[in-house]
Amino acid sequence: MSDHSHLIRYLKKQHVLSLCATDGKDMWSANCFYLFDQESMAFWLMTEPDTRHGQLMLANPRVAGTVNGQPKTVLLIKGVQYAGRIQLLSGERETAARLAYQKRFPVAKKVSAPLWEIQLDEVKMTDNALGFGKKIVWTKPL
């Protein structure tokens, strides 16, 4: 399927991702609230750099993870696996992302944690509602 609108709608509808980070020796995962930026095919999330996953992300920006729900039957499974590069946002991009993030999650106005961006390199969605094992794949254009 070359039309990625189904994938984009799904990512915009969800709000929690899992994230795995490693420095080559240690690895850790975390769940984070996110906002999907369709324009740049990126996730924006808040987390402190002194967390275990934050320290690993500062050491190595390559991350991977998932976005999924909790269906009651295998026929309704849908979810996303992704890989990308994460970085702390700054300047005008951070300001714009923070406003959008706070609009989606108003409680974030009370949090001073930095905002990060995962620039996606690869996304694979499985959606059994479209047919058992149906895959939608997006890769960053070269």
Side-chain angles (χ1 to χ4, degrees), residues 1-7 130 134-138:
M1 181 181 271
S2 60
D3 176 20
H4 299 104
S5 61
H6 186 74
L7 166 67
L130 299 176
K134 179 66 179 171
K135 309 285 189 233
I136 300 169
V137 177
W138 176 89

Side-chain angles (χ1 to χ4, degrees), residues 12-45:
K12 289 176 89 169
K13 183 179 174 185
Q14 304 303 312
H15 61 276
V16 176
L17 58 76
S18 73
L19 156 68
C20 186
T22 183
D23 63 3
K25 295 179 199 165
D26 191 17
M27 68 169 51
W28 200 247
S29 60
N31 290 318
C32 301
F33 281 85
Y34 77 87
L35 177 65
F36 178 66
D37 178 39
Q38 178 180 346
E39 296 295 317
S40 59
M41 286 299 284
F43 294 126
W44 293 330
L45 59 98

Side-chain angles (χ1 to χ4, degrees), residues 70-81:
Q70 298 290 319
K72 294 188 186 292
T73 173
V74 70
L75 296 175
L76 298 177
I77 287 175
K78 69 175 70 168
V80 166
Q81 296 165 286

Side-chain angles (χ1 to χ4, degrees), residues 40-114:
S40 59
M41 286 299 284
F43 294 126
W44 293 330
L45 59 98
M46 279 184 154
T47 194
E48 293 289 352
D50 61 354
T51 60
R52 187 168 176 184
H53 59 280
Q55 289 294 300
L56 293 170
M57 294 182 311
L58 289 172
N60 176 11
R62 300 274 309 142
V63 295
T66 61
V67 177
N68 63 289
Q70 298 290 319
K72 294 188 186 292
T73 173
V74 70
L75 296 175
L76 298 177
I77 287 175
K78 69 175 70 168
V80 166
Q81 296 165 286
Y82 70 86
R85 295 186 171 274
I86 195 163
Q87 66 181 2
L88 282 164
L89 288 175
S90 61
E92 291 178 16
R93 184 128 176 99
E94 192 274 343
T95 301
R98 186 171 297 275
L99 286 173
Y101 191 90
Q102 290 173 343
K103 184 176 180 183
R104 176 85 190 265
F105 307 110
V107 71
K109 292 176 184 175
K110 299 179 190 301
V111 179
S112 62

